[in-house]
Amino acid sequence: MPHDHNNEMSPSGHPYRKDQDHPLTYWQNLEIAVREILVEKKITTEIEIQETINEMDNRTPSNGATVIAKAWTDPSYKQRLLTNASDASRELGFDIGPLKLIALENTKSIHNVIVCTLCSCYPRNLLGLPPDWYKQRSYRSRIVKTPRTVLKEFGLDLPKDLSVRVHDSTADMRYIVLPMRPHGTENFSTQALEKLVTRDSMIGVGLPKSA
Amino acid sequence: MKVKVKKMFPPGHVRTPSYLRGKIGEVERDLGYFKNPEELAYGLNAHKQKLYRVRFEMNEIWGETCENPSDTVDAEIYEHWLEKV
């Protein structure tokens, strides 16, 4: 067939990427079976499932950036965020469900970074789906043991006098880092500030963009 | 409040990471009561347990050769996994 490549190389000399057509695993089969039963029993519908997946896929770190920029410009909001980050997020209209969120403030002497060593707990409602590396053992096992080495790989070389606080989301809490507001942004609007807040800065493996 | 994580290794859906078992830390905050995930995961009628955030120093977890002794790891640990020191 014309589209079968076997082990040929592409015209540019690179191997073709394999199709993702591996047989279903035990757990994938189980998921399909449970889903079909739930639909058959009219507990949910295919459309409802698809809508929920779309909703999850459409969340992006810009939600989190809105929260951070607001905290940078409104001191009383920042206080509310640090006291109860779930309520403070709801205040800005983000539906975070029953999620218990804790905001961790970076200061001149403390740098926070989040992980879930047991699985992949992540503040999805504010940041969307976690990046692949966040779910991998390499990040999860090393960030709690040698955080400075790992952060350096991300381009963050932290001075010795700055304490690194790693937060392992082991149970019912989710975390978001409140990074420090970049210098030279005193006259920035909240909207301009939102553009400086990166996903990685809210995980703690990066800093916001500079002004 | 200083606490020690119990060094036990029960099977099942346990939310206490192995690397913290047997380690001593300081309670950072009391998070209130949550249904015990060790029962919840199996569809059992889960009891509410107190959940704490505990702060551990790198030194305590990884020993003298750790990367930077004053850095810390905070983790959420259920009450039944903790004993007072």
Side-chain angles (χ1 to χ4, degrees):
Chain A
M1 286 190 288
H3 286 281
D4 275 350
H5 300 298
N6 300 321
N7 292 321
E8 291 167 45
M9 293 293 177
S10 75
S12 58
H14 293 89
Y16 285 103
R17 184 177 271 219
K18 275 189 184 150
D19 290 343
Q20 287 192 324
D21 293 331
H22 54 81
L24 293 175
T25 64
Y26 171 82
W27 300 108
Q28 284 171 321
N29 271 321
L30 182 65
E31 182 273 323
I32 293 168
V34 172
R35 173 155 45 89
E36 286 180 351
I37 292 169
L38 290 172
V39 171
E40 223 173 272
K41 288 185 180 281
K42 299 194 189 317
I43 292 166
T44 184
T45 63
E46 285 97 342
I47 289 175
E48 203 172 55
I49 293 170
Q50 208 48 45
E51 278 172 356
T52 308
I53 293 172
N54 284 339
E55 213 172 275
M56 287 194 275
D57 281 347
N58 285 330
R59 290 188 201 123
T60 72
S62 74
N63 294 0
T66 304
V67 170
I68 301 303
K70 173 81 172 161
W72 281 347
T73 50
D74 180 344
S76 72
Y77 181 78
K78 178 181 157 184
Q79 228 20 342
R80 293 199 294 283
L81 179 70
L82 294 173
T83 309
N84 185 334
S86 302
D87 284 348
S89 302
R90 286 187 195 107
E91 201 184 303
L92 297 187
F94 296 116
D95 172 22
I96 66 160
L99 186 80
K100 304 271 182 197
L101 191 69
I102 292 179
L104 307 158
E105 186 185 16
N106 281 356
T107 66
K108 281 179 182 150
S109 55
I110 295 161
H111 181 87
N112 296 287
V113 57
I114 62 174
V115 64
C116 173
T117 58
L118 297 175
C119 45
S120 58
C121 300
Y122 187 73
R124 289 164 189 247
N125 300 61
L126 288 184
L127 300 189
L129 296 175
D132 284 347
W133 55 259
Y134 186 86
K135 299 181 279 184
Q136 282 164 358
R137 278 169 193 258
S138 164
Y139 175 75
R140 286 155 51 211
S141 61
R142 292 166 67 234
I143 194 76
V144 290
K145 192 168 185 184
T146 54
R148 287 168 188 267
T149 306
V150 175
L151 293 175
K152 217 169 165 178
E153 290 165 11
F154 279 96
L156 260 189
D157 197 358
L158 300 175
K160 276 267 178 197
D161 57 353
L162 189 78
S163 289
V164 176
R165 279 189 192 160
V166 184
H167 301 268
D168 192 352
S169 325
T170 47
D172 292 82
M173 302 291 135
R174 297 295 176 269
Y175 300 91
I176 186 169
V177 175
L178 169 57
M180 281 196 289
R181 181 172 174 165
H183 294 295
T185 59
E186 293 72 19
N187 301 319
F188 276 45
S189 67
T190 310
Q191 275 172 327
L193 286 169
E194 281 174 19
K195 294 202 170 68
L196 302 181
V197 185
T198 61
R199 177 199 67 195
D200 286 1
S201 72
M202 295 181 277
I203 301 174
V205 297
L207 298 177
K209 291 181 202 160
S210 47
Chain B
M1 183 171 58
K2 258 197 162 78
V3 289
K4 184 175 185 172
V5 182
K6 289 179 190 168
K7 202 170 184 170
M8 51 185 189
F9 297 88
H13 183 79
V14 168
R15 304 299 307 180
T16 305
S18 303
Y19 75 97
L20 294 175
R21 295 182 200 175
K23 307 297 179 189
I24 293 170
E26 189 82 35
V27 170
E28 190 262 346
R29 73 180 89 168
D30 176 340
L31 294 164
Y33 288 88
F34 289 86
K35 283 184 178 173
N36 184 0
E38 291 164 31
E39 296 165 339
L40 205 57
Y42 300 99
L44 300 170
N45 190 11
H47 296 82
K48 286 206 168 183
Q49 292 274 5
K50 207 161 211 191
L51 185 62
Y52 293 98
R53 292 196 80 221
V54 184
R55 179 163 297 164
F56 302 86
E57 292 190 346
M58 289 290 181
N59 201 11
E60 165 71 11
I61 308 173
W62 308 112
E64 296 293 306
T65 55
C66 67
E67 193 182 48
N68 192 46
S70 62
D71 291 344
T72 56
V73 174
D74 290 15
E76 300 147 42
I77 313 278
Y78 277 91
E79 189 177 27
H80 63 284
W81 274 88
L82 297 172
E83 54 195 26
K84 272 191 190 166
V85 177

